[in-house]
Amino acid sequence: MTTIHCLTRLPKLFIFILGFLYSLGLLGNSNAEMPGIDNSIDAEGESFKHDYTPRILHTDPLFVHLHNFLTPSEISHFLNISSDSFARSQVVGTGLNGSISAWRTSETYFVDYEDPMAQRVADRVFQFLDFLDPDGLEPLQVVRYKSAQAFRTHFDWFNEPVKDTQGRYYNRLATIFVYLDGNCTGGETYFPGVKLQPSMIDGKTINDPFNRSALGVVPVAGNAVFWVNEHPDGTGHRKTAHSGLPVKDGTKVGLNIWLKRFTKLPYTPPEQRVCPSLPLATSCSAGALPDLARLVTNAPCSALSQTNGHQSIASSA
């Protein structure tokens, strides 16, 4: 048991060390691969082992490609439970109340917290990312893109923390996006601010859709991409801006996994603050939409356009 425990921690420690060295300016992009081992207990109490392969793509911010992160049975389960229950994806402003927008044209299904497969995947996520010490997960979200559907450029982190169902304020520390169905052309998850070495672009799992040496993750069922959304001080990392490029043909289905980091107290929510920087506003909740320059900064008191908890920015792709 001790040997297995050590093996599961090796990839996490390796990632942490690489990220730390990069923060000191001692490393650039990486193309390192390492074994990942999930030793979990399934819903029936039986031990479960699943091997996957993390590959570090970038270290500031940290990006890791995860080959074979989900098993075929897990993929089938999430596809089956969501297939007849999708609803139009929404975008949100400050907080979590959503509305339909042309910015995001996909369909969404939220997985129940008690779902046994969701719990198994959550265990795997926490084993892999215990070096980040996340505080929890949002409900897993299945998202489906059909032909011509897309999600324009956005951040996953909130400009202001949001409140969960238990009244705790949090932000999205990190994201894992898993591909459940990659039977499509197009549909890459594209990060224009994450530059790669040419040798890392293989056209099968990693692509460069606009020939800018920027990260484009190809939808391949079972694979995933992980990234850290925040700087160490808790502010959002602007290089994590990304889009779900339009599906040209076929269908793409993915699974959003968002990791929480609770906000340190005391915290004053926007609606309780005065915003002198927005002269038309008497409070943050009543403020006018700021211009793009403000939208991509961490101004403490702004009325922001966010998309499903994702802060929107203009797309240059």
Side-chain angles (χ1 to χ4, degrees):
M1 181 61 69
T2 302
T3 302
I4 293 176
H5 181 69
C6 291
L7 284 173
T8 61
R9 295 185 62 88
L10 277 175
K12 308 164 211 173
L13 180 60
F14 187 29
I15 292 171
F16 177 79
I17 292 172
L18 282 175
F20 175 73
L21 291 176
Y22 186 89
S23 70
L24 299 179
L26 300 178
L27 284 176
N29 292 344
S30 175
N31 195 23
E33 292 189 0
M34 70 214 81
I37 303 174
D38 170 23
N39 292 278
S40 302
I41 304 298
D42 66 16
E44 287 71 37
E46 299 294 329
S47 61
F48 174 80
K49 179 178 178 180
H50 174 60
D51 297 336
Y52 57 92
T53 305
R55 174 191 178 199
I56 297 175
L57 302 172
H58 199 271
T59 49
D60 186 24
L62 179 60
F63 277 80
V64 181
H65 185 267
L66 301 167
H67 176 72
N68 193 37
F69 190 65
L70 291 192
T71 68
S73 63
E74 291 164 351
I75 293 170
S76 295
H77 174 77
F78 290 121
L79 291 175
N80 289 337
I81 65 172
S82 62
S83 61
D84 297 326
S85 303
F86 281 103
R88 175 67 184 270
S89 298
Q90 296 186 347
V91 298
V92 303
T94 314
L96 290 173
N97 295 321
S99 61
I100 292 174
S101 169
W103 197 273
R104 188 186 191 199
T105 55
S106 59
E107 299 170 297
T108 293
Y109 170 82
F110 288 95
V111 182
D112 190 282
Y113 270 120
E114 302 302 320
D115 182 273
M117 285 294 191
Q119 293 181 0
R120 177 196 285 184
V121 172
D123 287 344
R124 186 173 309 144
V125 168
F126 285 121
Q127 282 193 32
F128 175 56
L129 297 178
D130 67 353
F131 71 95
L132 283 177
D133 193 27
D135 293 318
L137 297 178
E138 291 187 23
L140 305 189
Q141 182 194 80
V142 182
V143 59
R144 180 172 67 186
Y145 295 83
K146 295 182 178 179
S147 179
Q149 292 182 335
F151 193 170
R152 295 174 63 187
T153 310
H154 60 280
F155 299 114
D156 278 8
W157 47 270
F158 297 96
N159 194 74
E160 290 283 353
V162 295
K163 193 186 322 185
D164 67 12
T165 55
Q166 300 183 43
R168 299 168 298 187
Y169 286 95
Y170 73 93
N171 214 321
R172 287 174 172 165
L173 170 65
T175 299
I176 298 179
F177 187 72
V178 190
Y179 301 98
L180 303 178
D181 184 354
N183 186 24
C184 65
T185 57
E188 293 94 342
T189 308
Y190 180 60
F191 300 84
V194 179
K195 304 303 181 182
L196 298 181
Q197 302 167 2
S199 61
M200 302 176 70
I201 301 170
D202 57 20
K204 297 179 181 179
T205 58
I206 305 299
N207 204 354
D208 181 15
F210 300 100
N211 296 316
R212 298 179 182 175
S213 298
L215 174 59
V217 184
V218 179
V220 177
N223 289 356
V225 57
F226 156 78
W227 67 93
V228 176
N229 289 309
E230 295 184 336
H231 292 286
D233 64 1
T235 58
H237 206 309
R238 291 176 58 185
K239 286 185 179 180
T240 62
H242 60 286
S243 59
L245 296 182
V247 171
K248 298 176 182 178
D249 185 57
T251 301
K252 178 181 79 172
V253 183
L255 183 70
N256 277 309
I257 304 174
W258 291 304
L259 289 92
K260 294 180 179 181
R261 171 60 51 82
F262 292 136
T263 302
K264 295 180 180 179
L265 297 177
Y267 172 71
T268 304
E271 63 272 13
Q272 297 178 17
R273 285 183 245 146
V274 175
C275 297
S277 58
L278 296 176
L280 298 179
T282 56
S283 69
C284 291
S285 59
L289 183 68
D291 61 27
L292 181 62
R294 306 189 70 138
L295 194 62
V296 296
T297 65
N298 291 303
C301 210
S302 299
L304 293 170
S305 170
Q306 296 176 320
T307 55
N308 195 37
H310 302 65
Q311 178 182 325
S312 303
I313 64 174
S315 173
S316 60

